[in-house]
Amino acid sequence: MARNLDAFIDTHAGDLISRLQQMVSIATVNPPGCDYASITSYLTHELSALGLQARRLPIPAKLLKATLPQSDHGCPRYNVLGQLPVRGAKKTIHFNAHYDVVPVSGTWRHGSPFSGAVSGGWIYGRGTADMKGSIASLLLALQALRATKTAPLMNVEVSFTADEETDSLLGAGWLVENAPIKPDYAIVMEGGELNRVCCGHNGVVWLEVTVHGKAAHGSTPQDGINALEKMSALVLALGDYKRKLARRTFITPEGETMKPTLNLGGVFSSGPGGKINTVPALARFSIDRRVLAVETVASAEADLRAFLQAAAKKIPQCHITVAKVSDNHPCFNAPDHPFFAAMADSVARVRREPAVFSVSSGFNDMHFFSHHLKIPTLGYGPGGEDIHAVNERARIKELLRAAKIYAELLTTFAG
Ligand SMILES: [Zn+2]
């Protein structure tokens, strides 16, 4: 990459670390979604200082109340939008990260999970890896371009969005429908890291199955319909469905074989009035169906519902109702567009190793850009270790490399 950009980034690691520490110290824990006001005003300020037209986009109170009825105890939602028009540029690239983090627990190696302690080349804290580190890398890339008077070859849009750790409805989901953006390409700054560029991710369908029985006294169980026993038979039948799913495969561009999966009973419960001497009248369990990047949530859900109804029919007196808890779309971008080649080249030049195109088993916000805006979208960021766990951390060397890769892409790809 251009030597001056490379040198600037190396000599300004301190700026990246202090910004990341600042962000980590703002405990944007979701749920419930706290401190969004502070972090979005900080980020808006940072983007403005780097020469972008930046503003906070507040979620209207009415919509907030309708979407999160329990959250009227002072947890407003905001998304941040920054725009950098470049003279002569024909295309626009959009960088996105979420700024919320998952709750913390346990004892951390370097004190508070919100301290951003630096040790042995790593920075520790909730959000360092998922994904405030990505924001810090992007800000340093933008700072390097500005300081060296290097113009990007595309207009740059940046969004920092809320609520990815819950459902993104008021975050990236809201942004792609309501914000004044018109990107040609998008990078969600997670999902791919090191030499792996993410070109898609799995989706998910969450269902809740309720088995309805009939209560009776425990001394005369023959008078009731035992919902637990019916549920057990249904769960056993789902074993066949799992085997059927396992025959469905998707081979990713890097050659990994992915299969749809089913996780049963992450949540299960009996109905009200459960007692040791009562025949259970109700039993309920959850289903987490992971949807391949090339499947759709609609067909996955319809197929699973049909199987459940058919299986219940074969079990005497097994009456069920199935409710959807939520879903999240998968996405897959065949990496044959020049955008992907440009990103792979940027990764390879900075890391001095060939890049591969991966598909993530977990979901992230890529599908909002890919599906809703229908633009080539990839996932790439500095990543880290122990995401969502104790001692979450990011490697400072990787944060700097991600900054260089973003700067490299912005100065080599015109769209
Ligand atoms: Zn994340």
Side-chain angles (χ1 to χ4, degrees):
M1 71 183 305
R3 221 182 267 156
N4 56 345
L5 280 171
D6 191 68
F8 184 93
I9 289 171
D10 280 332
T11 51
H12 290 74
D15 291 353
L16 180 148
I17 291 167
S18 61
R19 285 193 188 108
L20 185 47
Q21 285 172 329
Q22 177 70 38
M23 284 187 269
V24 168
S25 76
I26 306 173
T28 47
V29 172
N30 180 32
C34 299
D35 272 350
Y36 286 4
S38 335
I39 200 156
T40 52
S41 67
Y42 168 75
L43 290 170
T44 306
H45 179 267
E46 287 299 299
L47 288 175
S48 303
L50 294 171
L52 282 81
Q53 298 157 8
R55 60 195 148 130
R56 289 203 304 187
L57 305 171
I59 297 298
K62 241 191 189 164
L63 177 62
L64 179 64
K65 207 163 182 188
T67 315
L68 296 171
Q70 320 86 313
S71 154
D72 358 85
H73 47 271
C75 288
R77 259 63 183 165
Y78 303 91
N79 295 302
V80 172
L81 176 64
Q83 289 167 307
L84 183 69
V86 175
R87 187 174 304 175
K90 291 192 176 63
K91 297 285 172 85
T92 299
I93 185 166
H94 189 105
F95 289 86
N96 168 266
H98 67 85
Y99 60 71
D100 59 320
V101 299
V102 295
V104 294
S105 61
T107 309
W108 288 54
R109 205 173 292 157
H110 299 282
S112 161
F114 302 106
S115 70
V118 171
S119 172
W122 295 81
I123 177 162
Y124 288 77
R126 178 59 83 234
T128 49
D130 180 17
M131 58 183 297
K132 291 171 173 173
S134 303
I135 300 178
S137 294
L138 179 68
L139 293 177
L140 184 58
L142 295 171
Q143 185 186 351
L145 292 169
R146 183 174 168 85
T148 58
K149 298 189 166 43
T150 314
L153 301 181
M154 287 182 279
N155 303 306
V156 181
E157 278 179 0
V158 176
S159 63
F160 301 132
T161 49
D163 288 355
E164 194 269 350
E165 301 296 357
T166 43
D167 54 19
S168 299
L169 285 182
L170 301 178
W174 180 88
L175 180 100
V176 296
E177 288 190 13
N178 297 284
I181 58 174
K182 216 178 169 299
D184 299 284
Y185 309 101
I187 298 187
V188 171
M189 296 186 284
E190 66 176 352
E193 56 191 80
L194 307 176
N195 74 325
R196 304 174 85 208
V197 175
C198 178
C199 62
H201 61 70
N202 279 354
V204 70
V205 176
W206 285 336
L207 298 181
E208 182 187 72
V209 181
T210 303
V211 181
H212 305 274
K214 189 176 146 218
H217 194 275
S219 65
T220 55
Q222 66 278 10
D223 293 343
I225 299 171
N226 190 310
L228 174 69
E229 290 179 3
K230 303 297 171 194
M231 179 178 91
S232 307
L234 189 61
V235 167
L236 279 181
L238 280 163
D240 289 339
Y241 194 70
K242 277 194 197 180
R243 283 184 284 279
K244 183 182 136 189
L245 284 182
R247 289 197 289 272
R248 215 175 279 179
T249 55
F250 166 55
I251 298 173
T252 70
E254 70 171 327
E256 193 195 337
T257 302
M258 298 181 88
K259 298 175 178 192
T261 59
L262 209 61
N263 178 45
L264 304 178
V267 178
F268 62 94
S269 59
S270 61
K275 269 180 99 226
I276 196 162
N277 61 349
T278 302
V279 173
L282 187 146
R284 185 172 276 158
F285 67 101
S286 62
I287 301 183
D288 174 335
R289 156 77 152 95
R290 296 295 158 140
V291 179
L292 290 177
V294 290
E295 296 181 299
T296 67
V297 289
S299 65
E301 182 184 341
D303 195 57
L304 178 52
R305 279 176 180 271
F307 182 89
L308 284 165
Q309 294 301 346
K313 227 177 220 169
K314 285 189 205 145
I315 302 165
Q317 296 183 301
C318 180
H319 303 290
I320 62 167
T321 47
V322 179
K324 173 137 93 189
V325 177
S326 69
D327 62 23
N328 224 306
H329 291 289
C331 70
F332 179 66
N333 297 252
D336 44 15
H337 190 281
F339 175 51
F340 291 88
M343 187 62 180
D345 287 348
S346 299
V347 169
R349 277 195 293 270
V350 170
R351 300 190 57 85
R352 298 174 203 280
E353 61 174 326
V356 296
F357 293 109
S358 62
V359 173
S360 171
S361 61
F363 55 81
N364 60 47
D365 280 340
M366 281 173 64
H367 63 96
F368 290 109
F369 296 90
S370 178
H371 279 239
H372 193 86
L373 300 178
K374 299 188 171 42
I375 55 173
T377 302
L378 61 81
Y380 190 82
E385 292 190 359
D386 288 322
I387 287 175
H388 292 203
V390 172
N391 296 321
E392 177 179 348
R393 60 197 175 278
R395 188 172 248 149
I396 292 164
K397 192 160 96 183
E398 294 303 338
L399 291 163
L400 295 173
R401 278 179 169 162
K404 290 178 186 182
I405 289 164
Y406 297 147
E408 175 75 2
L409 181 74
L410 286 170
T411 52
T412 54
F413 183 59

Short mmCIF file of all heavy atoms in Angstrom, two decimals, residues 98 130-131 164-165 190, ligand 1:
data_model
loop_
_atom_site.label_atom_id
_atom_site.label_comp_id
_atom_site.label_asym_id
_atom_site.label_seq_id
_atom_site.Cartn_x
_atom_site.Cartn_y
_atom_site.Cartn_z
N HIS A 98 -22.04 -2.19 14.24
CA HIS A 98 -22.97 -1.95 15.35
C HIS A 98 -22.15 -1.57 16.58
O HIS A 98 -21.02 -2.06 16.75
CB HIS A 98 -23.85 -3.17 15.61
CG HIS A 98 -23.14 -4.39 16.13
ND1 HIS A 98 -22.86 -4.59 17.46
CD2 HIS A 98 -22.64 -5.49 15.50
CE1 HIS A 98 -22.25 -5.74 17.63
NE2 HIS A 98 -22.09 -6.30 16.45
N ASP A 130 -16.13 -7.29 19.25
CA ASP A 130 -17.50 -7.31 18.66
C ASP A 130 -18.24 -6.07 19.12
O ASP A 130 -18.89 -6.12 20.14
CB ASP A 130 -18.19 -8.61 19.11
CG ASP A 130 -19.61 -8.73 18.58
OD1 ASP A 130 -19.95 -8.02 17.62
OD2 ASP A 130 -20.38 -9.53 19.12
N MET A 131 -18.19 -4.96 18.35
CA MET A 131 -17.27 -4.72 17.27
C MET A 131 -16.81 -3.27 17.26
O MET A 131 -16.70 -2.64 16.22
CB MET A 131 -17.88 -5.13 15.91
CG MET A 131 -19.18 -4.42 15.60
SD MET A 131 -19.98 -4.94 14.03
CE MET A 131 -18.80 -4.49 12.77
N GLU A 164 -27.77 -4.65 17.24
CA GLU A 164 -27.47 -5.87 16.48
C GLU A 164 -27.53 -7.09 17.40
O GLU A 164 -27.85 -8.19 16.96
CB GLU A 164 -26.09 -5.76 15.83
CG GLU A 164 -25.83 -6.83 14.76
CD GLU A 164 -25.18 -8.10 15.29
OE1 GLU A 164 -24.74 -8.14 16.46
OE2 GLU A 164 -25.12 -9.07 14.53
N GLU A 165 -27.22 -6.88 18.68
CA GLU A 165 -27.19 -8.02 19.60
C GLU A 165 -28.60 -8.49 19.98
O GLU A 165 -28.75 -9.49 20.67
CB GLU A 165 -26.35 -7.69 20.84
CG GLU A 165 -24.90 -7.33 20.53
CD GLU A 165 -24.09 -8.48 19.92
OE1 GLU A 165 -24.63 -9.60 19.77
OE2 GLU A 165 -22.93 -8.25 19.57
N GLU A 190 -17.64 -7.00 10.27
CA GLU A 190 -17.44 -8.23 11.03
C GLU A 190 -17.86 -9.40 10.17
O GLU A 190 -18.41 -9.22 9.09
CB GLU A 190 -18.23 -8.20 12.35
CG GLU A 190 -19.75 -8.22 12.19
CD GLU A 190 -20.49 -8.29 13.53
OE1 GLU A 190 -19.86 -8.47 14.57
OE2 GLU A 190 -21.73 -8.15 13.50
ZN ZN B 1 -21.21 -8.16 16.24
#
